[in-house]
Each structure stands twice: as C-alpha cells, then as structure tokens.
Amino acid sequence: MNDAVGGSRYRAHPHPPTGAKIFAFLLLINVVYGNGVTRHRRDDLKELHVGALFPMEAGAGGWPGGVACRPAVEMAFEDVNNDPRVLNGYVFKLHHHNSKCQPGLAAKKIFELLYKDPVKLILLSGCSPVTTMVAEAAPVWNLIVLSYGASSPALSNRERFPTLFRTHPSANMQNPTRCKLFERFKWKKITIIQSVEEVFTSTAKDLEEQCRERGIRVERQSFYGDPTDAVKTLVRQDARIILGLFYVTEARRVLCQAYKHGLYGRKYVWWFIGWYADTWYYPPPEEGLNCTAEQMAEAAAYHFTTENIMLSRDSKPAISGMTGLEFQKRLTEMIATDPANAGGFPEAPLAYDAVWAMALAFNCTLNSLPKGMDLIDFDYNNTLIFEHLFKCVKDTQFKGVSGQVKFSDLGDRIARTQIEQLQNGKYVLLGYYDSVKHELDWFGNEIWHDGRGPPTDSTIVKESLLTVTIEIYTIVVILAVVAIIASLGLFVFNVQYSYRSVIIQSQPQCNNILIVGCALCSISLVLMGLPAEGITFPREFFSILCHSRISILMIGFTFAYGSMFAKVWIVHRMSASENQELAAISKDEEDGSPWESIRMLIAAMVGRQALVAAALRKISTHAYGSLVARRPCILNQPIPPAKFYTVIASLFGIDMLIILVWIVVDPLQRKEQRFSLQDPPADTEEDIKLLPILELCESNHQEMWIALILGYKCLLLVFGLFLAYESRNLKLRYINDSRFVGLSIYNVAILSLVTGPVVTLLIPSRGDANFAFLSATVLLCTYFSMGLVFVPKIVHIYRVTQSKDEAALANACLRSTISKSDQLRFEQLMKENSELKKQIDIRENRIAECRKILERRLGIAPESSSGALQSTGSVPGKTEITSTSPPSFATNNNNNSSGCQNDENSTIEAYKIQEDTVSSSEDANQNFESGTERATQSTGFNNTTMLLDFNEDTNTGHCSDFDDDSSITSNEILL
Ligand code: ABU
C-alpha cells in the first residue's frame, strides 16, 4: 500500500487557538522565518513529497507504534498544509508503508519509495530496527531520516548514521533516572533481562556502565523469543530488582513466566519501559499466553516504568496552536482503537512534532537556498539542497506538543524523564528527573507491597555462627565448676588429714597434682565451649583462645593422668627391680622391665596372643611371685615424692615442648568453615537466609600436630593401661591407692581412646556434638578419677579412728603384700591340707590294725618295742612309722630319689603337717605370709606343687603321696 496524503491548508482548523495565542504565534513565525503570511490557490501549490514507514503491527515481536503514530503524522500533515505560516505555496504529501517493525520488509518498502516517483525529500521512520536499516542506507540517496519512534542508543552515532535525526529520545536518557532511583531505594544489585535487539543491548550496556560508576552491581540475562530459561536463571540468581528491556509482546511473555516462577510480589520490583500501552499486560488471545489476565495483573502490580516525557503538560500552546493535552484529545477522537491499547499512542506527540520539525526545516531551507533553486528541484544526487536541508533540520527548534523540540549534535532529542507506577490497574506519576540538571522531582506516591517500604535487592544473608547451644554450654560449665569446687575441697581434705596414715601412704603430693590436673581439665571445658550461643568472643583474640584451651587441656591431662601413671609406673618399676634382685640368677632378668612390657604389648597388637599370654604370665610371675613370697616388706619403705615428680615433670616437659613449638612455628589461627545457606526460622518475616559458619582453630600443618599429640597421648594411655593391669595385684604400703588408681587409669584410658578419634576425626564440624562428647569424656574422667582416688580415703577417715588406724599400721607390712586372690588360694590349700590329714589318720588306723594283726600272728605282745617295726607313739594322736633302715630321710625333702627306691623306708611325718596347720591357725597373718611364701617359692601359684611342698616327707617312688593307689600299695606291701 502506498497512500499519499495531501492536506488542504484551507480547511478549518478543528481546534482554533484563541485570538491572543494566534497573534503571538504569527508574530513568532514572522520573526523566525521572516515570511509574510500569504495564501495561495491550491492548484498553484508545489508538492513536497515525504516517504514514511509505520510499524502497524508488532510482527514477530516489535513496536506496533504506527497504530497511533500514523494518525498523528497525518494530523500534522494536515495542520502544516492548513497553516499559512509554513511552506506557503507548497503542499506536503506523505507516502507511507507498513514496515511491521521488520528491517527486511522495511528495506523492500524503502526501495519502492525511492525508485518510484515522485522524489522524496525526506524519510520518516519509527521502530529502532527499521530506523537502523533506513538511516544506514539513506545517505547514499542524500536523504535525511527523521525518526519519530526509534529509541536505540546505537542510533546516536554520527559516523554510522550521518543524516539521522529523531524526535524520540534515546533510551539511554532513562538510565540516569533509573540509577538515581536505585540509589534512592538503596539497591546495590539489579538484574536486567533483555531481548537480543541492538536497541536493548545498547541500553543495557549503558545502564551497566552508569550503575557501576555508582557502585551498583548489574547482572544481565538475554533471551530471544522465549524468555522461560532467562526467567529461570533470574530465580537461580536470586534477582529481586529486575529491569526488563524488550518490546511489549516479549514483555507479556516475561511477565507470564515471572508469574509462573513466583517472581513477583513483596520481594520483587519490576521495572519496565514506559512506552507500552496502559493495559499492555493483558494477554491478547492471539498470543496464546498460558496466563490469565488476573494472573498477569497480579504479576504486574506495583511495577515501575520510566519514559521520556513525550507529551507536554504545558498549558501554553505549541507551534501548532495546540497544547499537548489538546493534541491527545484530538488524536483520541481520530483513532478507532482504545488509546490505552493503541500502539504508539504515547509516542504520537513525537510523530506529530517530527512533521512540524520537517516542515520548519523545509521552510528554513527554502529561505536559505540560492536564488533560483527550489526544494522541488531535489533529486537523490543533489548534495547542495541536501546540505541546506541538513543544516536547517539540525538548527530546528520549536515548542511542540511533546515539549521543546531540539536536536543535539548527535541528532538526539533531549528530554526529561517521568517515572510512573502501576497502582490498582492505573499508572500513577511518581516524579520527573532531569538528567541534564540532575534534578529529581519526587511526589512520594509510590506504593509497596504490604506497605513495608522497598524490598531488599537480594536475599539478606545473615551469618550465623555455629556455636555451642547455651543449654549444653551451661550444663557443662555447671558440671565443670562443680568439678573445680570438688577439686578444691579434695585439696583441703588432703592437707587437713595429711597426718593420717591413709593419706601419708597415698603419696598426697602426687594426689594434689591429680587434683590440679582435674581442675585444669574442667577449666579447659569452659574455654572449649566458646563462643557459645549468645556469648561472643573477640575475633582478634581467637588465636589465643585456640591455644589456651588446648594447652590447658593438655597440661591438665598430663597432671591428672600423669600423676596416676607415675604411681603405676613406680609400682611396676620397684616391683620389677626388686624381683630382679631376688632372681639375680635369672637369665630373663630384663623380662620384667617396662620395655619388655611394651614389647609384649606390641606383640599383642599384632595378634600374637599365645606368645603374649605366655609372656605375660612370665612377667607377672617374675615380677611379683618371688617378690611377694620372699620379701614382703621390702616394698613397704617410704617412697620419696621426687620419684613421682620426675615422671610427671617429664610428661609436662614434653607437653610444653610441643605447645611452645606449635605456637612459635605454626600457630593456630581462626578459620571459618562455611556451610550452604539455610532457611530462617518459620516465623521470620524478613527476607533472609542463614549462612552457617563454624569457627575453627587451624594451623597450616594441623594434621601433623594432631597426629603428634594424639599419638603421644594414646601411647601414654595404652602404656598406663598395661601398667595398671600388670600391677593390679600388688599393693605397696606407700602407694596404698594403687588399685584404685589402676581402675581410674582404665577408665580414663578407655574413655579417652574412644573420644579422641571420634572428636577429632568423625565429628569435627558438629559444634554441639563435638563439645558434648568431649565434655562428657573430660567430666567423666575427672569425676571418676577424683572419686576413685579420694572417696575410699574419705570413707576410711570417717569410719576408722586414728588410733585403730595406727594399730593396723603395725601389721600392715604383712598384709600389704598379700592379694585377695592369694588369700583365697591359701584358704583352699588349708582345706586340702585338712583333707590330707584325714587320709593320713585313716592310714595310721589301718597301720595300727595291721600291726595288731601282725603282732597277733607273730605272737608278739603289743607292748613289745623290738622287731622290724617300731611305733614311737611319743605324741598322742600321732604315729610315727619308721623302718629299720637308718632314718636319714626323715627330715630331708631333697632325697626323694632314695625315698622312692625304698617305700618301706618312708616316714610319714604327720606331726610336721599338723604342726604347720596349727601354727597357721594361730597366727593368720604370719601363716598367710609363710604359706604363700612357701607356695610361691616353689612354683608360684601351682597348687599341686604346693601340696607336694607341704607333704614332701611323704613322697614315695611315685613322687606323690596324694595318689591313693600308690599309697595303699605301699601299705599293702608292708602288710
Ligand atoms: N518508544 C518506542 C521505541 C521503539 C523502538 O525504539 O524501537
């Protein structure tokens, strides 16, 4: 279609200006253009032809601005042609096509315009993609392009578009306004979603630069056609302040996707371009959007728009004699569609003013051309007329219905920006911004969802320190304080009763160190739980906290465990060395040394249980058997405290060495371990996410230090465990609590060996669990150790008076070396001994009967003392049967071999046994010691051999008189 519109300048003006206004206007025209107002007859008029492209529809996604702009242009042609003040003697003629905002189609239409007569003097275009194409081509034909509807900032380029002017301001003009408002609402991060068109890409780039200069971070998402993926990315990026740069069709698609993805409401603020129609967000059925009008309206609620002012609100009339509002009213009457839905309705004043600018420029050119030259002489090779026209367009300025029309050197229109917000379905003016003067007129009409002010530009990420919960910390601190108080009390007790033997003999100095160790361990727990919930700790002192809590725990452990370790170590050492003295002849004299013990322990670890069992028996027998049996009082001498101090000081020295080297070489520093974001508590209204942070103490070679300390402590624990087991049956008078200490060592070692790896390797990142586990272990060890070592003493002191205590002390030498198991064994032996005596009695009776029978048979009187056998009968109840052979074996227990050769020569020395037994019952302690001594001396704890020892004089050739058959046989031989 190629419509030519010619206006009649004699037609009555539909909205005649007032008389005063007409007068003023005519005066202005006369002054500016110097023309007298003369009327021409229509057939005298010379035609000035203008080619124009209008985007009458959006096409695949563009600006359908021709809907309202073409009527506006036609109106302007009519007004200009009707106005006798401009282009007198000329008539404007418009030749136009529909470009559909598609550059390809526009190119075809432009060729049609240019290669079909008449020659066009100037080209009018709208829509950026089309204008870009036209403005790049036009200089080839010496044509000027005047754009009423191209906003692309890329068009502000004189090298690329040397003949372009536009009444439509560049989209960049809104960017200072946007940045100003982002600052006003304190947004530091915005996200642009744009379609891939040069107009929007260049706008977005300019905005990025401007925002960056103001310290606002800009993220950008582009799409072509379908915005679904781009919107999903916005969700992932946690975009909150979103600026959309696209044509209206794409705007609807984006809004629908925003609704689908929940990108609307209180937390989000959308910014759109302001030149869309007022009801743009309602989905036209032909677009097939998957959103209802209600959904779109809900998603669009309270969005902001920025747009250059395109309609003058000035009450003074423009050059056409109309005010902006009068123009708008006239246009509304002209167009068939609802203005709110008519594409290009906001830009229509620009199109109207573009025609006036053109007319005035032609007027100017007519006056500036050399005499005899006319505008109608123009052809596409006429550079002179082109240059005159170019200069006139450039210098054109007038008051239009869109405001003051004036072109910059780049051909841009300079205008103020207006900011609007969609409130309850209507756009409400919020303010104006003058980007030249940097002035913002703000009316304060903005509305926010829920009335809670501007939302944040992104989720507020609140750092949440993973501290020990206050409940757990409080419980641990209370228990730790109780432990500290208890240790103070025990210290007082230890000092107060230092005169009592039970204290004297328990190495009180050593126990005091145990108390100090327990207190230090408890104190370390108080530091270990920091920072707890609600209890902050200054970051600059965190390194000190790290070292102090570990050091205090290490030293506390060394004092507490070290003092117990020292006791079992010394018991073991003394026992072993004492035994070595007694068993000097033994080739295995080093078997009882601690190092041999370690060797056995290692063997145990590698699974050689059989070897270990044998070795342990050997060590135990070697270390304690002979010692207890033969020298019960040797170990009951006072032990100088220096011995204990030496052990503890050695361990303390190792600790201090590790701690100091650690601090100097590779100090612990505060490190943060960050976890993934978490939702806030359900009742939190704020738009926040929690970032859990765990404060850790770390040094560069953390693993090495952990391995060193754990390795050393574990070795100590295992060794202590072994020593405690080894010395479990031994009781030294001056370490009277060694058995309880041993129990305590079992407890500490097992708990620590379980806790150490769990806390350091399995749950290092779980603040509460880690602290609770560690605290439980430390507190259990502390309470158990203090309890096991001190409660028996307290009970003893309150039950046993001092005098009784001292009396018992006199006998302690004997009892102290006998274990419970040995006592039981002794009692067993006594029982067996009694059984044997009964058997001997039975045999004696039988012997007596035999003797009687023999005497009867031989006719020997019972009183006779002569013959082969003689009964001594010197002791009532006792019978001594003696052979006629010399009685050399009667008291010798080392001549079994000779005894075994001659049963008849055996002597049953029942009296001796009886005597031993009686003696045992008379003096339990002495007999306990003596019996055990004899038993152990011979075979350690071998009962059978012990019995042989007790009955050594009854041995026969069978080497055991407890064998009934052999004994009967010997008697029968006698018979
Ligand atoms: N105000 C309409 C702008 C259209 C365009 O620049 O393409």
Side-chain angles (χ1 to χ4, degrees):
M1 189 184 92
N2 185 356
D3 299 329
V5 177
S8 164
R9 61 178 64 244
Y10 301 106
R11 216 181 309 159
H13 197 291
H15 297 279
T18 59
K21 285 176 185 170
I22 291 169
F23 178 75
F25 176 72
L26 292 176
L27 205 63
L28 174 74
I29 295 293
N30 271 327
V31 168
V32 173
Y33 300 101
N35 281 349
V37 179
T38 317
R39 293 186 178 178
H40 288 261
R41 287 167 58 88
R42 183 179 170 78
D43 46 5
D44 296 339
L45 298 177
K46 294 183 245 180
E47 291 181 345
L48 298 175
H49 298 277
V50 173
L53 294 173
F54 294 104
M56 299 307 294
E57 52 209 88
W63 177 59
V67 176
C69 286
R70 199 182 77 186
V73 166
E74 288 169 353
M75 188 200 298
F77 266 78
E78 193 178 318
D79 290 353
V80 166
N81 284 336
N82 284 339
D83 197 317
R85 298 162 299 169
V86 281
L87 295 177
N88 199 9
Y90 293 85
V91 64
F92 243 172
K93 289 217 167 177
L94 177 66
H95 304 264
H96 63 86
H97 290 282
N98 179 6
S99 71
K100 296 187 180 175
C101 198
Q102 293 171 5
L105 180 64
K108 185 181 173 227
K109 298 298 175 188
I110 281 290
F111 280 117
E112 282 179 20
L113 284 172
L114 296 182
Y115 288 103
K116 271 189 186 172
D117 280 339
V119 171
K120 315 300 180 299
L121 277 165
I122 207 162
L123 294 175
L124 269 179
S125 76
C127 170
S128 292
V130 168
T131 303
T132 304
M133 188 280 299
V134 172
E136 267 188 321
V140 176
W141 286 274
N142 288 317
L143 278 173
I144 288 169
V145 180
L146 196 50
S147 177
Y148 56 86
S151 61
S152 173
L155 294 168
S156 307
N157 184 340
R158 267 281 166 256
E159 284 181 12
R160 190 176 160 199
F161 309 105
T163 63
L164 174 68
F165 294 92
R166 49 181 169 169
T167 50
H168 195 301
S170 164
N172 277 358
M173 297 292 295
Q174 298 164 49
N175 287 341
T177 312
R178 289 168 177 147
C179 291
K180 180 77 186 171
L181 293 173
F182 296 155
E183 277 184 331
R184 182 184 177 88
F185 298 134
K186 298 188 171 51
W187 292 323
K188 288 285 172 194
K189 180 199 153 201
I190 64 140
T191 307
I192 298 172
I193 178 168
Q194 60 148 114
S195 78
V196 188
E197 296 276 0
E198 190 179 31
V199 48
F200 304 119
T201 303
S202 48
T203 308
K205 274 186 183 170
D206 180 73
L207 181 62
E208 272 179 358
E209 271 176 32
Q210 296 206 25
C211 284
R212 198 177 306 129
E213 283 167 12
R214 294 165 187 246
I216 298 168
R217 188 156 62 93
V218 179
E219 290 176 357
R220 186 142 57 110
Q221 284 302 316
S222 306
F223 68 92
Y224 183 79
D226 182 5
T228 309
D229 289 340
V231 172
K232 282 180 184 167
T233 310
L234 296 187
V235 176
R236 274 200 300 278
Q237 288 180 336
D238 190 34
R240 299 303 174 87
I241 313 303
I242 307 164
L243 171 67
L245 295 175
F246 24 63
Y247 287 119
V248 71
T249 317
E250 290 150 333
R252 281 191 282 268
R253 288 187 203 139
V254 168
L255 194 65
C256 181
Q257 286 303 320
Y259 180 83
K260 298 276 179 216
H261 291 90
L263 228 57
Y264 66 97
R266 158 74 197 152
K267 294 197 287 188
Y268 303 92
V269 180
W270 280 89
W271 291 72
F272 292 111
I273 293 171
W275 41 256
Y276 302 156
D278 283 357
T279 53
W280 66 269
Y281 48 88
Y282 289 121
E286 66 273 15
E287 284 182 13
L289 279 179
N290 197 16
C291 290
T292 63
E294 292 71 34
Q295 291 170 341
M296 294 287 277
E298 190 179 351
Y302 302 117
H303 76 256
F304 287 76
T305 65
T306 54
E307 187 47 77
N308 297 112
I309 295 173
M310 292 186 279
L311 181 72
S312 171
R313 307 262 167 183
D314 198 342
S315 55
K316 289 179 189 163
I319 192 170
S320 60
M322 291 183 291
T323 63
L325 291 173
E326 283 167 349
F327 162 79
Q328 208 171 45
K329 193 173 168 215
R330 195 172 146 203
L331 181 69
T332 308
E333 286 166 3
M334 275 182 78
I335 59 174
T337 48
D338 173 16
N341 282 322
F345 188 80
E347 292 89 348
L350 304 175
Y352 183 85
D353 282 346
V355 176
W356 272 96
M358 210 161 49
L360 293 176
F362 285 157
N363 224 26
C364 162
T365 309
L366 284 171
N367 291 324
S368 68
L369 280 175
K371 242 185 172 177
M373 196 173 280
D374 200 324
L375 268 176
I376 56 168
D377 298 332
F378 177 76
D379 63 33
Y380 299 130
N381 295 314
N382 192 329
T383 52
L384 184 69
I385 294 178
F386 161 73
E387 281 168 5
H388 277 269
L389 184 57
F390 182 87
K391 187 170 181 315
C392 284
V393 174
K394 192 168 166 253
D395 292 340
T396 297
Q397 55 175 312
F398 63 95
K399 184 173 169 57
V401 290
S402 62
Q404 187 66 21
V405 178
K406 186 183 172 191
F407 301 109
S408 74
D409 288 344
L410 294 174
D412 284 344
R413 171 89 184 271
I414 297 165
R416 288 207 305 166
T417 309
Q418 69 180 21
I419 305 104
E420 291 180 321
Q421 187 186 30
L422 185 71
Q423 298 177 1
N424 305 316
K426 286 201 167 59
Y427 281 101
V428 174
L429 185 67
L430 300 183
Y432 297 105
Y433 186 65
D434 189 326
S435 55
V436 177
K437 296 180 188 164
H438 305 291
E439 282 175 2
L440 177 70
D441 296 331
W442 195 252
F443 309 141
N445 294 333
E446 72 273 26
I447 292 180
W448 304 100
H449 282 275
D450 304 341
R452 287 199 280 137
T456 54
D457 57 8
S458 54
T459 307
I460 300 169
V461 175
K462 276 196 177 167
E463 292 189 350
S464 138
L465 274 188
L466 287 177
T467 53
V468 174
T469 50
I470 194 66
E471 291 82 9
I472 294 180
Y473 184 70
T474 308
I475 292 169
V476 169
V477 167
I478 290 171
L479 291 173
V481 169
V482 171
I484 293 166
I485 293 169
S487 48
L488 274 174
L490 291 176
F491 179 77
V492 171
F493 167 81
N494 222 17
V495 172
Q496 197 176 351
Y497 292 98
S498 58
Y499 59 91
R500 294 291 297 264
S501 58
V502 71
I503 300 294
I504 292 167
Q505 293 171 6
S506 68
Q507 295 301 328
Q509 298 85 348
C510 196
N511 287 342
N512 283 341
I513 295 174
L514 168 78
I515 289 170
V516 172
C518 289
L520 285 176
C521 288
S522 305
I523 290 169
S524 79
L525 288 183
V526 178
L527 299 177
M528 206 71 74
L530 291 176
E533 186 185 351
I535 304 173
T536 51
F537 194 85
R539 292 189 175 187
E540 57 271 26
F541 297 123
F542 206 85
S543 177
I544 298 171
L545 176 71
C546 291
H547 277 292
S548 48
R549 59 195 186 186
I550 288 185
S551 305
I552 292 174
L553 183 62
M554 277 175 72
I555 294 168
F557 176 85
T558 292
F559 281 179
Y561 183 77
S563 60
M564 298 191 289
F565 179 85
K567 284 187 180 178
V568 291
W569 168 268
I570 285 165
V571 168
H572 192 279
R573 286 279 303 177
M574 288 180 68
S575 309
S577 59
E578 190 64 29
N579 194 50
Q580 282 165 12
E581 271 179 34
L582 296 169
I585 54 168
S586 171
K587 288 178 186 172
D588 302 330
E589 66 182 32
E590 292 192 2
D591 284 359
S593 74
W595 302 115
E596 182 61 19
S597 307
I598 292 170
R599 195 175 67 76
M600 290 307 140
L601 194 68
I602 292 165
M605 286 173 181
V606 299
R608 298 174 64 186
Q609 278 118 345
L611 170 64
V612 175
L616 287 177
R617 272 197 301 279
K618 188 175 178 183
I619 293 167
S620 297
T621 304
H622 188 70
Y624 306 120
S626 306
L627 176 67
V628 171
R630 296 187 181 190
R631 304 287 294 273
C633 291
I634 284 208
L635 298 177
N636 291 338
Q637 304 306 317
I639 304 165
K643 280 193 171 190
F644 300 91
Y645 293 156
T646 309
V647 176
I648 298 167
S650 306
L651 299 176
F652 179 68
I654 295 170
D655 273 356
M656 288 311 291
L657 188 68
I658 294 173
I659 290 168
L660 289 176
V661 174
W662 194 357
I663 291 173
V664 173
V665 173
D666 186 16
L668 284 167
Q669 304 287 350
R670 179 185 178 278
K671 290 264 165 63
E672 288 186 354
Q673 188 178 357
R674 288 164 181 259
F675 299 88
S676 51
L677 290 176
Q678 290 180 352
D679 288 328
D683 56 341
T684 309
E685 283 194 358
E686 269 187 285
D687 181 17
I688 59 168
K689 288 261 182 195
L690 299 177
L691 174 66
I693 295 179
L694 183 66
E695 289 180 302
L696 296 171
C697 297
E698 271 189 24
S699 50
N700 295 332
H701 303 97
Q702 178 89 348
E703 295 77 17
M704 185 196 80
W705 296 110
I706 288 177
L708 180 68
I709 294 168
L710 276 189
Y712 149 63
K713 296 288 181 195
C714 282
L715 203 65
L716 204 62
L717 286 167
V718 172
F719 193 31
L721 205 57
F722 173 72
L723 292 179
Y725 176 79
E726 277 291 286
S727 56
R728 68 194 180 284
N729 287 327
L730 195 70
K731 194 169 152 191
L732 270 64
R733 180 188 297 176
Y734 281 90
I735 310 180
N736 63 2
D737 51 7
S738 62
R739 221 172 293 154
F740 288 114
V741 166
L743 277 177
S744 179
I745 283 178
Y746 295 155
N747 167 59
V748 173
I750 289 165
L751 279 172
S752 304
L753 287 172
V754 170
T755 302
V758 169
V759 167
T760 51
L761 303 177
L762 296 185
I763 52 169
S765 317
R766 298 174 184 270
D768 266 351
N770 195 307
F771 178 66
F773 213 84
L774 185 75
S775 303
T777 305
V778 171
L779 288 170
L780 277 175
C781 290
T782 303
Y783 280 107
F784 269 123
S785 300
M786 291 195 295
L788 282 168
V789 172
F790 284 99
V791 169
K793 294 180 182 59
I794 295 169
V795 171
H796 178 89
I797 284 177
Y798 285 101
R799 279 199 183 151
V800 182
T801 59
Q802 190 182 355
S803 53
K804 277 187 189 170
D805 212 8
E806 281 163 4
L809 190 60
N811 264 338
C813 177
L814 296 175
R815 283 182 280 107
S816 63
T817 57
I818 304 302
S819 71
K820 187 93 178 163
S821 60
D822 290 341
Q823 287 180 32
L824 291 171
R825 209 165 282 150
F826 178 74
E827 282 162 14
Q828 180 67 19
L829 287 174
M830 294 299 290
K831 270 188 197 165
E832 289 172 5
N833 211 17
S834 152
E835 287 294 318
L836 286 172
K837 276 197 301 179
K838 282 178 191 165
Q839 287 186 20
I840 290 168
D841 286 344
I842 292 166
R843 281 166 176 70
E844 279 182 345
N845 289 338
R846 289 186 67 184
I847 290 169
E849 284 171 15
C850 288
R851 184 182 292 137
K852 281 178 190 167
I853 293 166
L854 196 63
E855 282 171 355
R856 231 183 293 128
R857 285 184 185 173
L858 296 176
I860 301 170
E863 300 79 24
S864 174
S865 58
S866 62
L869 297 169
Q870 187 180 356
S871 171
T872 56
S874 57
V875 179
K878 300 290 170 197
T879 306
E880 187 178 273
I881 301 171
T882 315
S883 75
T884 52
S885 303
S888 58
F889 52 83
T891 57
N892 189 349
N893 63 349
N894 291 325
N895 56 0
N896 287 342
S897 58
S898 63
C900 288
Q901 286 165 4
N902 185 2
D903 288 345
E904 289 182 1
N905 290 341
S906 299
T907 300
I908 301 170
E909 209 170 21
Y911 173 75
K912 186 175 187 308
I913 298 169
Q914 179 88 356
E915 189 181 59
D916 280 349
T917 310
V918 172
S919 167
S920 296
S921 63
E922 283 175 354
D923 185 350
N925 279 333
Q926 193 56 46
N927 255 327
F928 189 10
E929 179 188 270
S930 164
T932 311
E933 180 183 352
R934 291 171 68 189
T936 316
Q937 184 180 351
S938 302
T939 59
F941 296 114
N942 187 317
N943 288 348
T944 309
T945 317
M946 185 182 275
L947 287 173
L948 284 174
D949 185 34
F950 274 98
N951 297 281
E952 57 196 358
D953 295 338
T954 65
N955 280 352
T956 66
H958 301 284
C959 298
S960 171
D961 206 20
F962 296 114
D963 182 346
D964 283 347
D965 292 339
S966 62
S967 112
I968 290 166
T969 305
S970 84
N971 286 328
E972 280 174 355
I973 288 168
L974 286 173
L975 290 172

